[in-house]
Amino acid sequence: MMAVRHSLTISNRMEQLGREVLQYVGRTEAELLDTMAYTMLYLSFVVFLGLHILKVKAPYGRYTNSIYGPAMNSTVAWFLQELPSFAIPVGLAAFTTISDSFIVGRFLLGGFLIHYFQRTFIYPFLIRSGNRSTVLTAMFALVFCCFNGFLQGAYLLHMNVYQDTWLTDPRFLIGTLLFFAGLLINLHSDSVLRNLRKPGETGYKIPQGGLFNYVSGANFLGEIIEWTGYAIACWSLPGLAFAVLTASNIGPRALQHHKWYLQKFEDYPKTRKALIPFLL
């Protein structure tokens, strides 16, 4: 009984805080979420400009550079920066009032949480690379995951936009299929990369197998497919904004990886593309 009362107290405090924030900014929650989504779309343009047009390399993994400041353990960095994308939607589901779009919203959010559960509690502890992440990169990722975790969670849990019939809508079915296909591609590609080195080995090797037979950025392609499917299944501005930002961020990284592989390995497959099989 005391636990229930404590939970209700937390819930009441969170909702009161939410009302105060909305009153302070002078917007409804729907207006705030729209503004956040448009901000993410604008950020997508900035990110694409920096990574693809200006050729800036995000300083993590093989591109970690001391000019961006101190570095930290990659496992710690990935765990801390990804955690808000899982924890914030879970907190919203546990301690705020849910809209009438109960089944659909929970299902869509469940897919989002499956990805970030893996990214937070599994992926960081499987990392074998000796590469480190810069503190700056981890901080930017942490801020983004807080922002996006709230945006996606609040929209799916609080906005009453889905009827149960959405579960049989072609957009939901196609999007869900793409989401899980992309998730599986992403997980398999990460496994291929992780197992390129035997314990104790260092250096880089040419990845083989799965979509790596066709593109250098198979893991990136999988994640782009995943969040494109999510955007279609949600059919929402927040979902679209997240998918566009994902492609703007990791699409150019796939091109950078491809160029790096071609320069490093003389025997790198010449028919392999960067991101889209047979095309790009």
Side-chain angles (χ1 to χ4, degrees):
M1 182 65 71
M2 291 184 63
V4 173
R5 290 178 179 174
H6 183 64
S7 177
L8 290 174
T9 300
I10 295 176
S11 177
N12 291 336
R13 288 178 178 175
M14 287 188 65
E15 293 195 354
Q16 177 61 32
L17 177 61
R19 287 191 293 269
E20 291 175 356
V21 169
L22 291 173
Q23 183 177 7
Y24 177 78
V25 299
R27 295 176 182 269
T28 65
E29 185 174 19
E31 291 171 338
L32 176 63
L33 296 179
D34 279 350
T35 299
M36 292 176 69
Y38 282 119
T39 300
M40 189 177 290
L41 286 171
Y42 172 76
L43 181 62
S44 300
F45 171 77
V46 175
V47 169
F48 183 79
L49 176 66
L51 297 180
H52 185 62
I53 306 300
L54 301 181
K55 308 299 183 184
V56 176
K57 293 181 174 66
Y60 67 93
R62 68 191 64 177
Y63 306 117
T64 299
N65 194 313
S66 59
I67 66 171
Y68 293 100
M72 63 186 297
N73 179 275
S74 293
T75 294
V76 175
W78 274 97
F79 174 77
L80 292 178
Q81 72 191 35
E82 302 293 310
L83 181 60
S85 287
F86 182 84
I88 291 176
V90 169
L92 291 174
F95 299 114
T96 62
T97 302
I98 309 302
S99 77
D100 293 335
S101 304
F102 181 81
I103 297 176
V104 178
R106 287 285 178 98
F107 184 93
L108 293 168
L109 186 60
F112 183 86
L113 291 176
I114 287 172
H115 174 93
Y116 279 105
F117 180 87
Q118 196 278 337
R119 270 291 185 259
T120 302
F121 299 106
I122 299 176
Y123 175 79
F125 303 98
L126 297 176
I127 294 175
R128 293 181 180 177
S129 169
N131 292 326
R132 294 165 66 81
S133 295
T134 64
V135 174
L136 180 64
T137 302
M139 289 179 61
F140 276 127
L142 175 67
V143 171
F144 170 75
C145 286
C146 289
F147 185 95
N148 192 50
F150 176 80
L151 175 61
Q152 305 302 327
Y155 182 84
L156 293 173
L157 292 171
H158 296 167
M159 298 296 103
N160 188 15
V161 294
Y162 300 107
Q163 302 297 320
D164 289 350
T165 54
W166 185 252
L167 294 171
T168 58
D169 189 285
R171 290 166 291 184
F172 175 83
L173 297 175
I174 293 171
T176 299
L177 179 62
L178 286 173
F179 174 84
F180 283 105
L183 177 63
L184 291 175
I185 292 170
N186 186 244
L187 294 176
H188 176 263
S189 301
D190 281 346
S191 177
V192 169
L193 292 173
R194 190 165 52 246
N195 289 290
L196 284 175
R197 301 185 186 93
K198 296 178 181 179
E201 285 187 334
T202 58
Y204 289 92
K205 297 180 180 180
I206 299 174
Q208 304 284 356
L211 280 180
F212 279 115
N213 292 334
Y214 303 96
V215 296
S216 299
N219 51 330
F220 301 128
L221 175 59
E223 191 155 353
I224 290 172
I225 292 172
E226 184 181 354
W227 295 121
T228 298
Y230 172 82
I232 295 171
C234 293
W235 208 253
S236 68
L237 182 60
L240 173 65
F242 184 30
V244 171
L245 181 58
T246 297
S248 300
N249 181 27
I250 62 179
R253 193 167 178 87
L255 300 178
Q256 293 168 355
H257 272 25
H258 185 66
K259 182 178 179 181
W260 183 90
Y261 278 124
L262 290 172
Q263 292 173 343
K264 186 172 182 64
F265 298 102
E266 293 183 358
D267 59 340
Y268 196 73
K270 303 304 179 185
T271 59
R272 188 178 295 186
K273 299 298 184 180
L275 183 63
I276 304 175
F278 313 113
L279 295 177
L280 176 64

